[in-house]
Amino acid sequence: MPIISPALLLLAAAQAPAADTGIPPGTAAVLDDPDTRWIQPDPEWTLYMDMAGMDEIEGGRVVIRLSKGIGRQNSENIKRLVRAGHFANGSIDRVQENYVVQWSGAANAPRGAAEGAVPGEFEAPRGEAGMLSPIPFSDAYAPQVGFLNGFPAAQDGNRTWLAHCYGALGVGRGDDPDGADGSELYVVIGQAPRHLDRNITLAGQVLSGMEYLTSLPRGTEALGFYREGAAKPRIANIRVAADVPATEREDIELMEMSGHTLAAWADARANRARDGWFNYSHGAIDLCNLPVPVRRSPREE
Amino acid sequence: MPIISPALLLLAAAQAPAADTGIPPGTAAVLDDPDTRWIQPDPEWTLYMDMAGMDEIEGGRVVIRLSKGIGRQNSENIKRLVRAGHFANGSIDRVQENYVVQWSGAANAPRGAAEGAVPGEFEAPRGEAGMLSPIPFSDAYAPQVGFLNGFPAAQDGNRTWLAHCYGALGVGRGDDPDGADGSELYVVIGQAPRHLDRNITLAGQVLSGMEYLTSLPRGTEALGFYREGAAKPRIANIRVAADVPATEREDIELMEMSGHTLAAWADARANRARDGWFNYSHGAIDLCNLPVPVRRSPREE
């Protein structure tokens, strides 16, 4: 008896559009709705991280969208490193179970015009970095959560910050909040470690290719660092998408996480019984359990 | 400049006990506090899932604690299958990125006295399965969350249910809520898919060895199933710990997630600035971001 469950029903559900039935749309209907809006990531603020592969571990491309709002100075410094070739032949240094994958460039890798220390951008005065598009659900960490320019984010009465959801790109730092040089980057690979919010700079979010990071062997030393002398997974290179010939760029787009599109998507994900299989809808969803859909850009026929 | 960050400070933090300083304890102090209570999992309700390894992928032991409260009938049926040898030479069938690992026994594996269909145990009338030990923080899905016999759980005015946190063991089902036969089991490997709560039976939680599941290659077919004919990761066997000679059992214990121990642990995890490195404490933590600590049982000296 082959049981396919618990099914992610994005692919499987066949829903009639709301206009036909009067029933609010399920997840598949929102994805298919021609009124749902999608945006193409700006190539100047998109990174291609190409994993080299190792033994039986498949390499492949991780596509990362950088933030040009909160975290902008750190994003810019990362781009300076990337453009200097800093991460060519770099390595994964740390894979900590249910936490982060962290990497760096090769020893003495060039730094080009990158700053040696960038001020921490853990949060911003509310409104300064744009308006949060809220979702109307409770959160343990903030009175209001939602999306800011497509990144999961939170705010209170005074401050707005990006949230450590699955796939978030962070800028490693030591004890100095303003001492990050952009050379130690990490991606969240487990349950959202939201306690890191407001404590470290987030500079972006993985759009695709998470599996090339999450399936890496866990490091066996403290904090998931690889053992001294162990073969580390290699990074072939990281490039800014704008520096790659247009014909070789990834042709993907992400859902616009604002306005009616966000409202419909959050509502559908909060009410999964519309999708079948599910018996019970919670009528709510956690910020980090509301994924930002990414798809291949459709072509005119 | 080797930057170790974002540091999980369980290991690194050196905190004086609260009694010495008047400052509430940080995470390391709670773990070290002789008043912190630990419990040994009941071998009759513990599974050892031994992964066989494959190519460069290391095998190892996944230790799973079964629920004898909510989910008890399903847990009992799983034990019947296990004791019939059902999962010997079984395989991982599905690894879906940021979702679940799912497995089954070999073709025509024996089922012993196992039932062919067990009623769904998605939730229980409040109080019937014991009292929830609450944590005082907001949640998108429930007015109250906490731990029930050591398992993350939630409740409203009428019902109590186990929560799909990282490492939760679920019992796959088809469309029939009461049709699960225990032969298709899954473990959560990504952001807590809490929308599955109240929709499928949870029967336990992984205590150790998650890395043997999370680092497996993702399946390339829909829902993360492995391609037809692809080499699947093998399960050497699953056994009930009570059936393993006592000298060969895993000598581990978990924190008692109730009473003063839970209160101190939740408070420390909600206020990480006590641990150093952190600048900001949220004063709150999400249910699924509050891990149940597991340690080797200390020995008398």
Side-chain angles (χ1 to χ4, degrees):
Chain A
M1 176 166 51
I3 301 177
I4 297 179
S5 57
L8 178 67
L9 289 152
L10 292 186
L11 299 168
Q15 294 287 322
D20 294 346
T21 63
I23 300 169
T27 54
V30 173
L31 293 171
D32 290 342
D33 190 334
D35 287 339
T36 293
R37 298 183 60 156
W38 301 79
I39 58 172
Q40 295 190 321
D42 182 345
E44 181 56 33
W45 294 82
T46 302
L47 300 180
Y48 295 160
M49 175 179 179
D50 290 322
M51 297 297 299
M54 181 178 77
D55 298 331
E56 301 296 312
I57 300 168
E58 191 184 7
R61 178 165 289 178
V62 184
V63 180
I64 303 171
R65 182 169 177 252
L66 294 175
S67 173
K68 41 185 160 178
I70 299 174
R72 184 186 184 102
Q73 292 181 71
N74 281 269
S75 289
E76 285 177 335
N77 210 45
I78 292 166
K79 288 200 290 177
R80 287 185 201 109
L81 287 173
V82 164
R83 285 181 156 142
H86 184 81
F87 294 103
N89 302 307
S91 62
I92 304 293
D93 302 316
R94 174 187 184 196
V95 183
Q96 184 170 347
E97 173 56 24
N98 192 16
Y99 201 44
V100 296
V101 167
Q102 185 176 315
W103 66 88
S104 63
N108 303 312
R111 293 187 50 87
E115 305 284 347
V118 179
E121 298 171 279
F122 306 167
E123 56 189 28
R126 182 170 166 151
E128 190 174 275
M131 295 298 289
L132 187 81
S133 298
I135 58 172
F137 309 126
S138 295
D139 184 82
Y141 301 90
Q144 196 165 55
V145 291
F147 291 84
L148 184 69
N149 190 29
F151 297 99
Q155 68 185 11
D156 62 16
N158 300 311
R159 298 273 158 178
T160 305
W161 61 93
L162 301 185
H164 275 80
C165 293
Y166 195 89
L169 172 75
V171 187
R173 68 167 176 87
D175 285 337
D176 180 0
D178 297 319
D181 73 354
S183 69
E184 305 268 348
L185 302 174
Y186 66 90
V187 163
V188 170
I189 61 163
Q191 174 67 28
R194 296 277 307 278
H195 52 289
L196 294 173
D197 293 1
R198 311 182 75 170
N199 281 296
I200 192 163
T201 301
L202 288 177
Q205 187 86 23
V206 172
L207 293 182
S208 67
M210 276 297 288
E211 63 272 26
Y212 300 114
L213 302 177
T214 54
S215 62
L216 295 174
R218 274 50 184 161
T220 54
E221 300 299 293
L223 308 176
F225 280 90
Y226 286 114
R227 190 167 31 79
E228 185 79 27
K232 294 177 178 178
R234 307 300 304 175
I235 300 165
N237 205 355
I238 303 181
R239 290 176 293 171
V240 178
D243 299 345
V244 172
T247 53
E248 296 171 26
R249 289 184 201 151
E250 298 296 318
D251 194 19
I252 59 178
E253 54 191 22
L254 60 148
M255 186 179 278
E256 184 178 271
M257 299 298 275
S258 64
H260 70 83
T261 295
L262 174 60
W265 179 239
D267 185 63
R269 288 281 301 187
N271 293 284
R272 295 298 295 276
R274 293 174 197 158
D275 285 339
W277 186 86
F278 287 86
N279 298 310
Y280 179 82
S281 285
H282 292 265
I285 193 157
D286 188 71
L287 173 67
C288 292
N289 192 24
L290 182 56
V292 180
V294 173
R295 66 176 189 180
R296 295 271 149 206
S297 304
R299 293 287 176 202
E300 286 187 303
E301 291 174 26
Chain B
M1 178 167 48
I3 300 178
I4 298 178
S5 57
L8 178 66
L9 289 152
L10 292 186
L11 299 168
Q15 295 286 323
D20 293 347
T21 62
I23 300 169
T27 53
V30 173
L31 293 171
D32 290 342
D33 189 335
D35 287 340
T36 293
R37 297 183 61 155
W38 300 81
I39 58 172
Q40 295 188 322
D42 182 345
E44 181 57 33
W45 294 83
T46 302
L47 300 181
Y48 295 160
M49 175 179 180
D50 291 323
M51 296 297 298
M54 182 178 78
D55 298 329
E56 300 296 312
I57 300 167
E58 191 184 6
R61 178 165 288 178
V62 183
V63 180
I64 303 171
R65 181 168 178 253
L66 293 174
S67 173
K68 41 185 159 178
I70 299 174
R72 183 185 184 101
Q73 292 181 70
N74 281 270
S75 289
E76 285 176 335
N77 210 45
I78 293 166
K79 288 201 290 178
R80 287 184 202 109
L81 287 173
V82 164
R83 285 180 158 142
H86 184 82
F87 294 103
N89 302 309
S91 62
I92 304 292
D93 302 316
R94 174 188 183 196
V95 183
Q96 184 170 346
E97 173 56 24
N98 192 17
Y99 202 43
V100 297
V101 167
Q102 185 176 316
W103 66 88
S104 64
N108 302 312
R111 294 188 48 89
E115 305 286 347
V118 179
E121 298 171 280
F122 306 167
E123 57 189 29
R126 182 171 165 149
E128 191 174 275
M131 295 298 289
L132 187 82
S133 298
I135 57 172
F137 309 126
S138 296
D139 184 82
Y141 302 89
Q144 196 164 55
V145 291
F147 291 83
L148 184 70
N149 191 29
F151 297 99
Q155 67 185 11
D156 62 17
N158 301 312
R159 298 273 159 178
T160 305
W161 60 94
L162 301 185
H164 275 80
C165 292
Y166 195 89
L169 173 75
V171 186
R173 68 168 176 88
D175 285 337
D176 180 359
D178 298 318
D181 72 353
S183 69
E184 305 268 347
L185 302 174
Y186 66 90
V187 163
V188 170
I189 61 163
Q191 175 67 28
R194 297 277 306 281
H195 52 288
L196 293 172
D197 293 1
R198 311 183 77 171
N199 280 297
I200 192 163
T201 301
L202 287 177
Q205 187 87 22
V206 173
L207 293 182
S208 66
M210 276 296 289
E211 63 271 27
Y212 300 114
L213 302 177
T214 54
S215 62
L216 295 174
R218 275 49 186 162
T220 53
E221 300 300 293
L223 309 176
F225 279 90
Y226 286 115
R227 191 167 29 79
E228 185 79 27
K232 294 178 180 179
R234 306 300 304 174
I235 300 165
N237 205 356
I238 303 181
R239 291 176 293 173
V240 178
D243 299 345
V244 172
T247 53
E248 296 171 24
R249 289 184 201 150
E250 298 296 320
D251 194 19
I252 59 177
E253 54 190 24
L254 61 147
M255 186 178 278
E256 185 178 270
M257 299 299 275
S258 63
H260 69 82
T261 295
L262 174 60
W265 179 239
D267 186 63
R269 287 281 301 188
N271 293 283
R272 294 300 294 278
R274 294 176 197 156
D275 285 340
W277 186 85
F278 287 85
N279 298 309
Y280 180 82
S281 285
H282 291 265
I285 194 158
D286 187 71
L287 173 67
C288 292
N289 192 24
L290 182 57
V292 180
V294 173
R295 66 175 191 180
R296 295 273 148 206
S297 304
R299 292 287 177 203
E300 285 188 303
E301 291 173 24

